[in-house]
Amino acid sequence: MSTTGSPRLAQVSAARRRTVIDALRRGAVPESGLDLLATGLDRFEAALDAELDAVASGGSVFKAVRGEYGSGKTFFTRWLGERAKRRNFAVAEIQISENETPLHKLETVYRRLTERLTTSSFPPSALRPVVDAWFYALEEDALAAGATEEELPEEVEKLVVARLAEVSRHAPSFATALRGYRAALAAGDEATAAAVLAWLGGQPHVAAAARRSAGVRGDLDHFGALGFLQGLLTVLRDSGHTGLFVVLDEVETLQRVRSDARDKALNALRQLIDEVHSGRFPGLYLVITGTPAFYDGQQGVQRLAPLAQRLATDFTTDPRFDNPRAVQIRLPGFDQQSLVGLGLTIRDLYAGAATSPERVRTVADDAYVADLARAVGGALGGKVGVAPRLFLKKLVGDVLDRVDQFDDFDPRQHYRLTVASSELTDVERNLAAAVSGGGSASADDVDLEL
C-alpha cells in the first residue's frame, strides 16, 4: 500500500503527530491518525465507504481481509475503524488467540468486545457511557411524548420493553439486567450497578447477590452471546450511534490449535457469517483478518466446506482488478517504491514538529531514506512486504530522533543499521536468520537434487 507526501501534513495537530510518531518509534501500529499514512488505500475507499453507509442505514456487512504477515492487515482495519468512527460508529478490535479469546467460545469474544468497545468520545471500555446514554435517550423520548416526572420511570420501562422486544425473544436476560442496573443506580447502590453492568458485558464470576438483585442467573454462554450482541446493537443505535464496527484480528491462529477446537471455531465463524447475512444484526460491520494460508490451506477455512463456499473469492486475476466489494479482499503489501514513499511521508510528518525541520529533511534526504529502506529489506532477506514495521522503527528511533537532537549527527557517517533478534517478530526473525545463516527464507528457495 503505497503512500506519498500530502499537504494534510502541514495541518496536523501536535497531538495527532505525537501519537503517530510515538507508536512508530515503538514499532507499533498507531491507534489513530492513520489517515495521514494511508493515501495508498484509495482503491478501497469508495466500496468500503458505501458498505459503512449501508450499515449505518440498518444493514449489516461481513468482510474478510487477506494478507501475508507484514502486509498491513492491522493497519488496514484500524484505518477502516477510524473511518467508521467518523461516521459515529462504536468500534472494537479483538485479538483471537487460543488461550485468551478462543473463537469457538462466543461468550468470550463478546466479553472482549465489550472490554475493547470505544467510541469517538470514550476510550475502552465505553459500555457504561453507552448504556447511560441509552437510558438518557429513553427519558428524553418519554418526556417528548408527554410523560410527567412522576410518570417517567413507568414510561421508560415501557420503552425498554418495546425497544428490546426482538432481543428478548433470544436473550430475555439482557433487558432484565438493564432494568437491574437502572434500579441499582436509582437506589444509590453503585457497587451493585457496576456488578450488574459487568455481567451484562459478559464478565464471569459476578457476585451472586448482585445477580439476584437484578433478577438474572448464571454466566453468559455461547448461544446467549449472540442475543447479547443483538441487544448491544439496539442500545448503540438508540443512544445515537450509527453502528458497531468489530474486527476479529489474527484469525489465522486457529490453524495452530487442537483439531477439535479448530473445527468448533470454524463452525462458529460460519455461524457468525450466516447470522450477519440473515439480517439478525442490523448496524454491524464485522471484519476478520487472516493470511492466505488460513483462507486456502487445509488447516484453515478449507477444512469446513460451507465456510469455504461463503468466503470463496477469485484472486486469479491481476491484483489491479481485485473487486473491493467482494466478501474477501487482499492487501497487496509493500514493494520497494511504496516502502520508500511511506518513509518520506513519515520523515515529513516528523519534520513538522522538529527543532530544525529543514535540517531533518536535508540530512535524512530522499536518497538516504531509500538507502535505509533497501538496507532493512536486505536484512530481512529482501522480503520488503514484511519490512515496514522495522523500517519505520529504525527511521524514527535510530535516525530522525538523533538528527533532531544532535547537530553534528550524520546517519551516513555515524549510524550503521543493526537488527537485534529481540526486536523482531517471529516472521522477521526467521527471515533475518535465513540471511545471516545463509539459509533459505522459504521452501521455494531450497534447491533439491532430483
Side-chain angles (χ1 to χ4, degrees):
M1 56 186 72
S2 61
T3 62
T4 57
S6 167
R8 291 177 297 173
L9 299 183
Q11 285 79 43
V12 178
S13 69
R16 294 186 75 206
R17 191 187 308 269
R18 183 170 57 251
T19 296
V20 171
I21 295 299
D22 285 351
L24 298 179
R25 185 182 288 118
R26 299 191 310 272
V29 176
E31 292 288 343
S32 61
L34 299 180
D35 57 306
L36 302 175
L37 315 179
T39 54
L41 297 180
D42 52 353
R43 59 183 294 186
F44 298 108
E45 286 183 359
L48 296 178
D49 285 348
E51 289 177 348
L52 287 172
D53 291 340
V55 173
S57 299
S60 54
V61 167
F62 173 85
K63 207 77 168 179
V65 178
R66 168 195 189 102
E68 296 287 358
Y69 288 105
S71 62
K73 297 187 294 294
T74 299
F75 180 97
F76 177 86
T77 55
R78 289 184 182 172
W79 167 78
L80 183 54
E82 280 195 350
R83 299 181 78 82
K85 199 173 286 187
R86 285 198 292 270
R87 287 169 166 76
N88 203 26
F89 277 66
V91 174
E93 177 184 322
I94 305 165
Q95 302 293 322
I96 297 300
S97 67
E98 180 180 6
N99 296 324
E100 298 295 325
T101 315
L103 184 56
H104 66 283
K105 294 185 177 180
L106 291 181
E107 67 273 25
T108 304
V109 175
Y110 172 80
R111 181 166 77 245
R112 296 286 181 255
L113 189 161
T114 61
E115 290 171 351
R116 297 292 300 158
L117 187 68
T118 180
T119 68
S120 57
S121 302
F122 296 97
S125 166
L127 179 61
R128 182 161 189 166
V130 165
V131 170
D132 289 343
W134 184 65
F135 278 117
Y136 178 79
L138 295 186
E139 291 176 354
E140 291 295 302
D141 289 348
L143 291 172
T148 64
E149 289 294 335
E150 293 74 19
E151 298 169 336
L152 190 58
E154 182 180 350
E155 294 302 315
V156 168
E157 173 65 21
K158 292 179 181 178
L159 287 175
V160 169
V161 173
R163 302 285 172 87
L164 297 177
E166 180 62 25
V167 175
S168 295
R169 291 178 52 234
H170 304 282
S173 56
F174 186 86
T176 302
L178 283 172
R179 294 190 194 95
Y181 169 72
R182 180 174 171 80
L185 284 182
D189 189 349
E190 172 61 30
T192 297
V196 173
L197 193 67
W199 187 88
L200 193 69
Q203 296 295 333
H205 315 307
V206 172
R211 284 186 275 122
R212 278 197 304 271
S213 71
V216 295
R217 294 183 297 175
D219 293 328
L220 184 64
D221 60 17
H222 177 90
F223 298 102
L226 294 178
F228 274 41
L229 175 58
Q230 194 176 1
L232 179 60
L233 288 166
T234 300
V235 169
L236 283 166
R237 182 192 64 223
D238 289 349
S239 61
H241 295 280
T242 51
L244 174 62
F245 178 86
V246 177
V247 178
L248 303 180
D249 202 9
E250 299 184 1
V251 178
E252 68 269 6
T253 57
L254 296 180
Q255 298 171 101
R256 301 194 291 270
V257 305
R258 297 191 324 271
S259 60
D260 58 335
R262 185 189 313 137
D263 291 342
K264 290 178 183 177
L266 293 172
N267 191 59
L269 182 56
R270 191 271 314 159
Q271 181 184 5
L272 271 174
I273 294 174
D274 287 350
E275 295 284 12
V276 169
H277 290 161
S278 73
R280 181 178 177 182
F281 301 123
L284 177 64
Y285 195 121
L286 178 63
V287 180
I288 67 169
T289 71
T291 59
F294 169 71
Y295 293 111
D296 301 337
Q298 292 305 311
Q299 299 306 314
V301 167
Q302 300 304 316
R303 190 179 177 92
L304 183 63
L307 178 60
Q309 293 165 7
R310 286 156 176 76
L311 296 180
T313 305
D314 179 17
F315 290 118
T316 60
T317 58
D318 189 314
R320 293 179 301 158
F321 306 118
D322 282 359
N323 178 14
R325 298 173 182 172
V327 65
Q328 187 183 155
I329 58 177
R330 66 175 163 184
L331 302 182
F334 282 84
D335 57 22
Q336 189 66 33
Q337 181 181 357
S338 59
L339 187 63
V340 173
L342 177 59
L344 297 179
T345 298
I346 296 304
R347 181 206 58 195
D348 292 341
L349 181 66
Y350 187 103
T355 305
S356 178
E358 194 54 41
R359 169 174 159 73
V360 169
R361 295 189 182 95
T362 301
V363 176
D365 59 14
D366 294 7
Y368 178 78
V369 172
D371 288 344
L372 182 63
R374 279 191 291 270
V376 173
L380 298 178
K383 302 295 183 180
V384 178
V386 300
R389 187 198 71 85
L390 183 62
F391 167 59
L392 295 177
K393 184 175 186 290
K394 295 293 185 181
L395 177 63
V396 173
D398 290 356
V399 177
L400 298 181
D401 278 346
R402 287 170 171 159
V403 171
D404 189 37
Q405 296 177 83
F406 305 104
D407 292 340
D408 56 346
F409 177 78
D410 183 344
R412 290 182 174 85
Q413 299 181 38
H414 305 125
Y415 176 69
R416 180 174 178 270
L417 176 67
T418 58
V419 178
S421 177
S422 60
E423 64 182 325
L424 301 178
T425 64
D426 290 341
V427 173
E428 293 166 347
R429 189 176 299 113
N430 290 337
L431 293 173
V435 174
S436 61
S440 302
S442 73
D444 293 334
D445 297 330
V446 179
D447 292 326
L448 300 176
E449 295 184 7
L450 302 176

